[in-house]
Amino acid sequence: MKTLTKRILLTVLGIPIFFSSIFFFPQAQYLFFTLICLGFSVLGSYEINQLISSSSAGKSLLHPLVVGLLPFSMYVELYLLPDVQVIFILYAAVMLFLLLKEVFTGKDDAFQNSISRMAVSIFHLIYPSMFVIFVIYMTSIGDAHIYIIFWFLMIFSNDVFAYVFGMLWGKRSRGITAVSPNKSLVGFIGGFASAVLMGFLFYTVITPMHSAGPVWLILLAAAAISIFADLGDLVESAIKRSSHAKDSGTIIPGRGGVLDTIDSIIFSAPVYILFLTYFLKV
């Protein structure tokens, strides 16, 4: 089965399943959706750990399972311990542990690679774990299912149509980025335009979106999501190039690994939260 067919099939099947987890399982503050996010976080943490190990950067001091489960601290802080800064305490404790551990274990190589080990471990702590926190935070927003689905539709539209436009008409405009030379200008433009158009259609059809702000602000949010989704894909390309890997894994047909699937999602999440918090009336 060709890659394009696999990607389209995955999108056609994946979107309804994923959206169903939001629409039909809102119990316990979208706990089911949170668990799905944690699953991706854990798998992504294992993949990034493997990519780090395959590079010349060194080896992370953190266990992937521990890192992958850390975003659950957002759920705990939001719904179980709202008066406690769980995220701040937990991530600060892990970071201090990483730095202090090197004091006692770095003697094995006379501390020659201490900076590298600490930097790699902190990177492992941040990516993708800390980005997933922003996704889980979206469950605390009023009418969360609407805004989460809007966000995912922008990303999926951008991703699918960037690939389609690039494959069909983008061969002559490839090479615009050194980190991912197969990406084309036509693909970027096609994905961007599709996301903005999808944003307009969503705003038109889903009337509760009207209370969030004027249409131009919704389209600006869609444009920002599209741009940062592409940037997230390029960031992951840089990581894979450093590890001499084509894909982050093989678990998802037509896409590669989990990180190949969620790179644009997690990277656009903080920007979308910024819009929801400071620009849109939610």
Side-chain angles (χ1 to χ4, degrees):
M1 190 182 295
K2 294 183 178 180
T3 301
L4 178 59
T5 305
K6 290 181 179 179
R7 291 173 73 106
I8 293 175
L9 183 61
L10 180 65
T11 301
V12 170
L13 295 176
I15 290 179
I17 294 173
F18 194 80
F19 286 178
S20 296
S21 72
I22 302 170
F23 264 115
F24 301 117
F25 298 96
Q27 295 86 356
Q29 288 79 38
Y30 298 96
L31 178 59
F32 185 61
F33 173 75
T34 298
L35 294 177
I36 291 177
C37 292
L38 287 177
F40 278 106
S41 178
V42 169
L43 293 173
S45 180
Y46 272 97
E47 287 185 356
I48 200 67
N49 187 60
Q50 183 61 42
L51 291 173
I52 291 172
S53 299
S54 301
S55 71
S56 59
K59 187 177 181 180
S60 174
L61 301 174
L62 291 170
H63 193 283
L65 179 61
V66 175
V67 181
L69 292 176
L70 281 176
F72 192 66
S73 59
M74 171 56 81
Y75 186 90
V76 173
E77 181 172 322
L78 285 173
Y79 306 116
L80 302 178
L81 298 172
D83 297 325
V84 180
Q85 294 182 319
V86 179
I87 298 171
F88 175 80
I89 294 172
L90 192 57
Y91 273 85
V94 174
M95 207 167 293
L96 288 172
F97 165 77
L98 289 174
L99 300 178
L100 288 173
K101 185 177 181 180
E102 189 62 28
V103 173
F104 300 100
T105 61
K107 64 181 185 301
D108 295 338
D109 65 353
F111 304 98
Q112 292 300 306
N113 296 304
S114 291
I115 292 177
S116 176
R117 281 190 292 267
M118 290 187 288
V120 162
S121 298
I122 290 175
F123 170 68
H124 188 200
L125 177 65
I126 295 172
Y127 191 91
S129 168
M130 196 172 289
F131 284 89
V132 177
I133 284 177
F134 292 96
V135 182
I136 297 175
Y137 177 79
M138 292 183 196
T139 62
S140 67
I141 297 169
D143 292 324
H145 60 287
I146 293 177
Y147 294 101
I148 292 174
I149 288 175
F150 171 82
W151 172 56
F152 272 105
L153 280 177
M154 300 310 101
I155 295 170
F156 288 143
S157 299
N158 178 77
D159 182 60
V160 171
F161 286 101
Y163 187 83
V164 170
F165 275 76
M167 288 291 294
L168 296 179
W169 302 292
K171 293 182 179 179
R172 295 184 179 181
S173 62
R174 290 177 178 173
I176 59 174
T177 62
V179 72
S180 188
N182 286 330
K183 303 289 185 185
S184 68
L185 180 61
V186 171
F188 281 123
I189 295 175
F192 178 85
S194 299
V196 173
L197 177 59
M198 180 62 72
F200 177 77
L201 293 175
F202 192 90
Y203 182 86
T204 302
V205 174
I206 308 300
T207 53
M209 285 288 292
H210 296 176
S211 61
V215 64
W216 67 267
L217 195 54
I218 302 298
L219 297 184
L220 185 60
I225 292 170
S226 173
I227 292 171
F228 278 87
D230 287 331
L231 292 176
D233 185 61
L234 295 178
V235 167
E236 206 232 339
S237 294
I239 297 171
K240 290 187 294 186
R241 281 190 171 275
S242 179
S243 303
H244 309 287
K246 182 179 182 296
D247 296 314
S248 65
T250 59
I251 193 172
I252 301 179
R255 295 197 63 94
V258 167
L259 288 176
D260 296 315
T261 302
I262 68 172
D263 51 5
S264 56
I265 295 174
I266 60 176
F267 207 77
S268 62
V271 178
Y272 187 48
I273 291 295
L274 180 67
F275 267 88
L276 292 175
T277 305
Y278 296 104
F279 298 106
L280 300 177
K281 301 174 183 178
V282 298

